[in-house]
Every structure is written in C-alpha cells, then in structure tokens.
Amino acid sequence: ALNGYLSFKNASKNLVLENVMSNSFYNKVKTYYAGTEIRAITANGKIILVSDTVVNLSKDNILKDVILYAPAFVIESGFKGSCQIFARDSIITGEKVVFEYPSVLGIIKPASSKIQAKISIGENNLFQGVLFTAESKRSDLQTLISLGKNTNIEGEVFSSGFIKLEKP
C-alpha cells in the first residue's frame, strides 16, 4: 500500500493554492503534492500529503490526522500536531516538538537502500503514538531510532534495527 502512494501518481500539484484544507473521513481521500516545504497550512481529516524529496515541516502548521509520505522529513523545533509521517530514508525532529495521539513516525526502508535509515527525535520532545522502523531484508546498515535527552514517548516503539537512548 505504501508503494502506491510513493509513486505520486494520485497527487495533484495544488497544495500552494489551499492554505486551509479539511476533509471528512466519510469522503474520498484528498491527495496533494507537498513539494519541499510545508509551511503555514491548516489541514485536518482524510488528507494525504506526498513529496518526492526531503520535506521541511515548519512549526507554523496545524495538522490533525493528516498522513504524509516522502523520502525524508525534517520537523522544525516547536512543531505541535497529530499526524502520521512515513519515510524511507529519515525523519528528524528539532527540540520541543509535540506529536499528539494518534501520531506515527515510520521508516520503511527499501531493500535496495544503501544508507542507514533512521528516526532521530530531538531533545525535550513529547511523542504520543507509534514509532517504528522496518526493512524487508536485514542489512549491514540496520535502521535506527535515536531518542534525544528528556524525550517522553507515550505509546509503542518498534525497530527492526537499533534503538539509541541519550543519557538524561
């Protein structure tokens, strides 16, 4: 299912035209192409944002129950929201980031990948939901979940590779 979204064939290129997006879960999903930066949007409901490059997610977004797909994400310090983020290379958060329930940060590493796919959570983060990394075939560069100092995880953590915890 994830590969279908990563092909981007269902994504329109009109995200910049809509700063406020809402879609009931009773409706058909709305899929938008996100480009390299998601800034100053309000989005909630049955919405998918996809990109074919690294996405910078700024703290001035208001995201609720939105799904995001891209090769990699960089989440700005101070971001707060609830969303499900899926990447194949990396997800990196700044400091004092809050992901409210039911959030997901997930890495699905392709078998052909030659890098160490990772989720790197910054210092003083609060995460409520599921953190996971998965790879279909064990590689020498196994996936990594790295948790910064004073980060609180309320939910589940699953890694097919390594988990690194910083000293308090």
mmCIF file of all heavy atoms in Angstrom, residues 76-102:
data_model
loop_
_atom_site.group_PDB
_atom_site.id
_atom_site.type_symbol
_atom_site.label_atom_id
_atom_site.label_comp_id
_atom_site.label_asym_id
_atom_site.label_seq_id
_atom_site.Cartn_x
_atom_site.Cartn_y
_atom_site.Cartn_z
ATOM 1 N N GLU A 76 10.623 21.085 12.199
ATOM 2 C CA GLU A 76 11.181 22.250 12.885
ATOM 3 C C GLU A 76 10.907 22.210 14.389
ATOM 4 O O GLU A 76 9.852 21.750 14.835
ATOM 5 C CB GLU A 76 10.562 23.517 12.281
ATOM 6 C CG GLU A 76 11.126 24.802 12.825
ATOM 7 C CD GLU A 76 10.510 26.039 12.174
ATOM 8 O OE1 GLU A 76 9.369 25.981 11.670
ATOM 9 O OE2 GLU A 76 11.190 27.064 12.185
ATOM 10 N N SER A 77 11.852 22.718 15.167
ATOM 11 C CA SER A 77 11.676 22.841 16.619
ATOM 12 C C SER A 77 10.386 23.603 16.909
ATOM 13 O O SER A 77 10.069 24.579 16.234
ATOM 14 C CB SER A 77 12.860 23.585 17.235
ATOM 15 O OG SER A 77 14.039 22.839 17.131
ATOM 16 N N GLY A 78 9.638 23.130 17.915
ATOM 17 C CA GLY A 78 8.407 23.797 18.319
ATOM 18 C C GLY A 78 7.157 23.324 17.601
ATOM 19 O O GLY A 78 6.061 23.768 17.930
ATOM 20 N N PHE A 79 7.292 22.404 16.632
ATOM 21 C CA PHE A 79 6.107 21.891 15.934
ATOM 22 C C PHE A 79 5.200 21.171 16.927
ATOM 23 O O PHE A 79 5.659 20.487 17.834
ATOM 24 C CB PHE A 79 6.518 20.923 14.813
ATOM 25 C CG PHE A 79 5.342 20.224 14.178
ATOM 26 C CD1 PHE A 79 4.613 20.837 13.180
ATOM 27 C CD2 PHE A 79 4.960 18.952 14.588
ATOM 28 C CE1 PHE A 79 3.528 20.210 12.602
ATOM 29 C CE2 PHE A 79 3.878 18.309 14.019
ATOM 30 C CZ PHE A 79 3.155 18.946 13.019
ATOM 31 N N LYS A 80 3.872 21.295 16.722
ATOM 32 C CA LYS A 80 2.887 20.576 17.534
ATOM 33 C C LYS A 80 1.745 20.151 16.623
ATOM 34 O O LYS A 80 1.222 20.967 15.855
ATOM 35 C CB LYS A 80 2.352 21.465 18.659
ATOM 36 C CG LYS A 80 1.371 20.753 19.568
ATOM 37 C CD LYS A 80 0.920 21.660 20.702
ATOM 38 C CE LYS A 80 -0.047 20.914 21.605
ATOM 39 N NZ LYS A 80 -0.486 21.755 22.729
ATOM 40 N N GLY A 81 1.357 18.869 16.687
ATOM 41 C CA GLY A 81 0.247 18.383 15.880
ATOM 42 C C GLY A 81 0.076 16.888 16.032
ATOM 43 O O GLY A 81 0.796 16.232 16.780
ATOM 44 N N SER A 82 -0.912 16.352 15.318
ATOM 45 C CA SER A 82 -1.104 14.900 15.276
ATOM 46 C C SER A 82 -1.160 14.503 13.804
ATOM 47 O O SER A 82 -2.017 14.978 13.058
ATOM 48 C CB SER A 82 -2.378 14.475 16.012
ATOM 49 O OG SER A 82 -3.528 14.885 15.312
ATOM 50 N N CYS A 83 -0.199 13.692 13.409
ATOM 51 C CA CYS A 83 -0.150 13.256 12.016
ATOM 52 C C CYS A 83 0.619 11.943 11.933
ATOM 53 O O CYS A 83 1.273 11.533 12.884
ATOM 54 C CB CYS A 83 0.457 14.320 11.105
ATOM 55 S SG CYS A 83 2.030 14.982 11.655
ATOM 56 N N GLN A 84 0.503 11.315 10.796
ATOM 57 C CA GLN A 84 1.182 10.057 10.542
ATOM 58 C C GLN A 84 2.186 10.307 9.424
ATOM 59 O O GLN A 84 1.790 10.611 8.294
ATOM 60 C CB GLN A 84 0.188 8.962 10.152
ATOM 61 C CG GLN A 84 -0.772 8.571 11.279
ATOM 62 C CD GLN A 84 -1.877 9.585 11.535
ATOM 63 O OE1 GLN A 84 -2.540 10.041 10.619
ATOM 64 N NE2 GLN A 84 -2.069 9.949 12.790
ATOM 65 N N ILE A 85 3.481 10.194 9.752
ATOM 66 C CA ILE A 85 4.556 10.514 8.816
ATOM 67 C C ILE A 85 5.290 9.230 8.465
ATOM 68 O O ILE A 85 5.769 8.517 9.356
ATOM 69 C CB ILE A 85 5.525 11.546 9.423
ATOM 70 C CG1 ILE A 85 4.777 12.867 9.677
ATOM 71 C CG2 ILE A 85 6.732 11.746 8.527
ATOM 72 C CD1 ILE A 85 5.615 13.938 10.330
ATOM 73 N N PHE A 86 5.389 8.963 7.154
ATOM 74 C CA PHE A 86 6.072 7.771 6.659
ATOM 75 C C PHE A 86 7.172 8.196 5.697
ATOM 76 O O PHE A 86 6.927 8.995 4.795
ATOM 77 C CB PHE A 86 5.092 6.842 5.942
ATOM 78 C CG PHE A 86 3.982 6.348 6.826
ATOM 79 C CD1 PHE A 86 2.773 7.028 6.869
ATOM 80 C CD2 PHE A 86 4.143 5.232 7.622
ATOM 81 C CE1 PHE A 86 1.735 6.595 7.691
ATOM 82 C CE2 PHE A 86 3.120 4.786 8.445
ATOM 83 C CZ PHE A 86 1.911 5.475 8.478
ATOM 84 N N ALA A 87 8.376 7.661 5.894
ATOM 85 C CA ALA A 87 9.512 7.995 5.045
ATOM 86 C C ALA A 87 10.303 6.727 4.750
ATOM 87 O O ALA A 87 10.095 5.687 5.388
ATOM 88 C CB ALA A 87 10.408 9.019 5.732
ATOM 89 N N ARG A 88 11.220 6.824 3.792
ATOM 90 C CA ARG A 88 12.074 5.666 3.501
ATOM 91 C C ARG A 88 13.520 5.894 3.928
ATOM 92 O O ARG A 88 14.266 4.948 4.079
ATOM 93 C CB ARG A 88 11.991 5.275 2.037
ATOM 94 C CG ARG A 88 12.506 6.297 1.079
ATOM 95 C CD ARG A 88 12.513 5.759 -0.352
ATOM 96 N NE ARG A 88 13.070 6.761 -1.214
ATOM 97 C CZ ARG A 88 12.393 7.447 -2.123
ATOM 98 N NH1 ARG A 88 11.112 7.216 -2.287
ATOM 99 N NH2 ARG A 88 12.988 8.339 -2.855
ATOM 100 N N ASP A 89 13.928 7.175 4.121
ATOM 101 C CA ASP A 89 15.321 7.462 4.473
ATOM 102 C C ASP A 89 15.478 7.963 5.906
ATOM 103 O O ASP A 89 16.236 7.399 6.668
ATOM 104 C CB ASP A 89 15.912 8.506 3.516
ATOM 105 C CG ASP A 89 15.960 8.014 2.083
ATOM 106 O OD1 ASP A 89 15.959 6.791 1.865
ATOM 107 O OD2 ASP A 89 15.988 8.872 1.176
ATOM 108 N N SER A 90 14.783 9.057 6.258
ATOM 109 C CA SER A 90 14.969 9.603 7.603
ATOM 110 C C SER A 90 13.826 10.529 8.008
ATOM 111 O O SER A 90 13.160 11.121 7.162
ATOM 112 C CB SER A 90 16.291 10.378 7.703
ATOM 113 O OG SER A 90 16.268 11.506 6.863
ATOM 114 N N ILE A 91 13.649 10.616 9.324
ATOM 115 C CA ILE A 91 12.752 11.583 9.948
ATOM 116 C C ILE A 91 13.544 12.190 11.099
ATOM 117 O O ILE A 91 14.020 11.473 11.977
ATOM 118 C CB ILE A 91 11.454 10.933 10.476
ATOM 119 C CG1 ILE A 91 10.679 10.254 9.338
ATOM 120 C CG2 ILE A 91 10.596 11.972 11.189
ATOM 121 C CD1 ILE A 91 9.508 9.405 9.807
ATOM 122 N N ILE A 92 13.695 13.523 11.075
ATOM 123 C CA ILE A 92 14.486 14.213 12.089
ATOM 124 C C ILE A 92 13.622 15.313 12.700
ATOM 125 O O ILE A 92 13.056 16.128 11.974
ATOM 126 C CB ILE A 92 15.756 14.825 11.467
ATOM 127 C CG1 ILE A 92 16.619 13.720 10.854
ATOM 128 C CG2 ILE A 92 16.537 15.630 12.498
ATOM 129 C CD1 ILE A 92 17.737 14.210 9.980
ATOM 130 N N THR A 93 13.530 15.326 14.032
ATOM 131 C CA THR A 93 12.768 16.385 14.701
ATOM 132 C C THR A 93 13.716 17.315 15.439
ATOM 133 O O THR A 93 14.781 16.902 15.905
ATOM 134 C CB THR A 93 11.735 15.825 15.708
ATOM 135 O OG1 THR A 93 12.425 15.350 16.868
ATOM 136 C CG2 THR A 93 10.900 14.719 15.107
ATOM 137 N N GLY A 94 13.304 18.563 15.554
ATOM 138 C CA GLY A 94 14.047 19.538 16.340
ATOM 139 C C GLY A 94 13.745 19.375 17.815
ATOM 140 O O GLY A 94 13.293 18.322 18.266
ATOM 141 N N GLU A 95 13.940 20.440 18.578
ATOM 142 C CA GLU A 95 13.686 20.426 20.012
ATOM 143 C C GLU A 95 12.254 20.857 20.316
ATOM 144 O O GLU A 95 11.635 21.589 19.545
ATOM 145 C CB GLU A 95 14.655 21.372 20.721
ATOM 146 C CG GLU A 95 16.106 20.946 20.619
ATOM 147 C CD GLU A 95 17.039 21.889 21.355
ATOM 148 O OE1 GLU A 95 16.566 22.864 21.977
ATOM 149 O OE2 GLU A 95 18.252 21.644 21.297
ATOM 150 N N LYS A 96 11.748 20.390 21.444
ATOM 151 C CA LYS A 96 10.430 20.760 21.957
ATOM 152 C C LYS A 96 9.328 20.552 20.917
ATOM 153 O O LYS A 96 8.460 21.393 20.717
ATOM 154 C CB LYS A 96 10.427 22.200 22.474
ATOM 155 C CG LYS A 96 11.370 22.404 23.639
ATOM 156 C CD LYS A 96 11.362 23.820 24.139
ATOM 157 C CE LYS A 96 12.340 23.954 25.293
ATOM 158 N NZ LYS A 96 12.463 25.326 25.765
ATOM 159 N N VAL A 97 9.376 19.404 20.260
ATOM 160 C CA VAL A 97 8.348 19.016 19.288
ATOM 161 C C VAL A 97 7.334 18.146 20.017
ATOM 162 O O VAL A 97 7.697 17.295 20.832
ATOM 163 C CB VAL A 97 8.976 18.260 18.094
ATOM 164 C CG1 VAL A 97 7.914 17.674 17.191
ATOM 165 C CG2 VAL A 97 9.896 19.196 17.321
ATOM 166 N N VAL A 98 6.048 18.363 19.736
ATOM 167 C CA VAL A 98 4.979 17.585 20.358
ATOM 168 C C VAL A 98 4.159 16.917 19.263
ATOM 169 O O VAL A 98 3.579 17.599 18.407
ATOM 170 C CB VAL A 98 4.059 18.475 21.224
ATOM 171 C CG1 VAL A 98 2.898 17.666 21.781
ATOM 172 C CG2 VAL A 98 4.855 19.138 22.342
ATOM 173 N N PHE A 99 4.135 15.597 19.282
ATOM 174 C CA PHE A 99 3.245 14.824 18.416
ATOM 175 C C PHE A 99 2.163 14.242 19.310
ATOM 176 O O PHE A 99 2.441 13.397 20.164
ATOM 177 C CB PHE A 99 3.992 13.693 17.704
ATOM 178 C CG PHE A 99 4.768 14.147 16.507
ATOM 179 C CD1 PHE A 99 6.124 14.385 16.592
ATOM 180 C CD2 PHE A 99 4.127 14.338 15.292
ATOM 181 C CE1 PHE A 99 6.835 14.801 15.483
ATOM 182 C CE2 PHE A 99 4.833 14.758 14.177
ATOM 183 C CZ PHE A 99 6.195 14.987 14.276
ATOM 184 N N GLU A 100 0.929 14.712 19.118
ATOM 185 C CA GLU A 100 -0.188 14.257 19.930
ATOM 186 C C GLU A 100 -0.766 12.958 19.358
ATOM 187 O O GLU A 100 -0.668 12.700 18.158
ATOM 188 C CB GLU A 100 -1.264 15.349 19.974
ATOM 189 C CG GLU A 100 -0.758 16.634 20.611
ATOM 190 C CD GLU A 100 -1.706 17.799 20.439
ATOM 191 O OE1 GLU A 100 -2.403 17.859 19.401
ATOM 192 O OE2 GLU A 100 -1.744 18.652 21.337
ATOM 193 N N TYR A 101 -1.403 12.185 20.234
ATOM 194 C CA TYR A 101 -2.039 10.944 19.829
ATOM 195 C C TYR A 101 -3.152 11.225 18.829
ATOM 196 O O TYR A 101 -3.863 12.203 18.980
ATOM 197 C CB TYR A 101 -2.614 10.232 21.071
ATOM 198 C CG TYR A 101 -3.234 8.905 20.749
ATOM 199 C CD1 TYR A 101 -2.441 7.776 20.664
ATOM 200 C CD2 TYR A 101 -4.603 8.794 20.523
ATOM 201 C CE1 TYR A 101 -3.004 6.548 20.360
ATOM 202 C CE2 TYR A 101 -5.160 7.574 20.213
ATOM 203 C CZ TYR A 101 -4.368 6.460 20.133
ATOM 204 O OH TYR A 101 -4.922 5.253 19.819
ATOM 205 N N PRO A 102 -3.293 10.464 17.776
ATOM 206 C CA PRO A 102 -2.601 9.229 17.391
ATOM 207 C C PRO A 102 -1.557 9.475 16.301
ATOM 208 O O PRO A 102 -1.840 9.359 15.121
ATOM 209 C CB PRO A 102 -3.725 8.370 16.851
ATOM 210 C CG PRO A 102 -4.651 9.354 16.176
ATOM 211 C CD PRO A 102 -4.509 10.640 16.955
#
